[in-house]
Amino acid sequence: MQVDFYKYQGTGNDFIIIDNRNGNFDTKSTSLVSFLCHRRMGIGADGLMLLESNDSEKVDFTMRYYNSDGKEASMCGNGGRCIAAFAVRIGAVTNADEFYFEAADGMHVAKFKNDIVSLKMIDVSHIDSGEGYYFLNTGVPHYVTHRNNIADIDIVNNGSKIRYSATFKPDGTNVNFVEQQSHNQIKVRTYERGVENETYSCGTGVVASAIATFVKNKQEKFFDVDVKGGRLQVHFEGDEKSGFSNIWLIGPATLVFEGKVELER
Ligand SMILES: N[C@H](CCC[C@H](N)C(=O)O)C(=O)O
């Protein structure tokens, strides 16, 4: 069976996107997703997304996200921005200026203009903290720690130790190292669960890092965030007491190429 696919990247976090509104893709096959995401044997990507039909009038589509290990995850911030740009490209939305889609973590609003996607993230009602870190869920779980000179950190070694530590069993966590540049500018490097490597950018991780930086300093609620693959913006409202809401992740989402892949039935 031949399947059309589209390769997108959002600040270097890259994805295979398939229009699965006909339901033909085998969503139970972990091995198929991990093969397609494999950097040598397959197309290569940090994750794969399916755009699927949604029964609700107000919701244009459903997003299903899989990490490159083939396992489904509840959300992906950069992936959400890329599938929003893809949905506009294939005419799967009622109004490109503002539309709704559903992911496993809940409902999202997306706004698309000149290849920049603004994505509304789910609310964050609770933040845990420990020795030198914050732990919060921005659609998927994130550990956030503030350090100096993050360019010198061995992200894979340090990140994997935290990701697999007993504290975060059984689900594990993504791990974000944050360096403050100024009152409203941070740098973030992320070890991603399910990719089991550093990625060029992690959208939900950037959101978690910005919120954790507000909790730490009680200053800004609007951040420029520099990641390996470029720059994102995050802004939000609220505080630890009332919870955080109206959380937006803003940045580019780019089509790299499209192609066809032969899948065994
Ligand atoms: N690796 C994450 C999912 C993808 C998150 C990331 N790519 C993003 O942009 O939010 C997890 O399994 O928790």
Side-chain angles (χ1 to χ4, degrees), residues 195-213:
V195 181
E196 305 313 338
N197 205 339
E198 178 180 10
T199 54
Y200 270 42
S201 167
C202 175
T204 50
V206 154
V207 171
S209 299
I211 290 173
T213 303

Side-chain angles (χ1 to χ4, degrees), residues 101-144:
F101 69 86
E102 198 168 6
D105 69 337
M107 200 63 75
H108 294 271
V109 185
K111 297 177 181 174
F112 180 77
K113 198 166 176 201
N114 309 330
D115 266 0
I116 298 293
V117 180
S118 301
L119 179 67
K120 191 173 182 186
M121 308 299 282
I122 60 167
D123 293 353
V124 173
S125 56
H126 178 71
I127 297 186
D128 286 321
S129 58
E131 187 57 40
Y133 74 88
Y134 296 93
F135 183 66
L136 57 160
N137 191 304
T138 52
V140 286
H142 284 278
Y143 172 109
V144 180

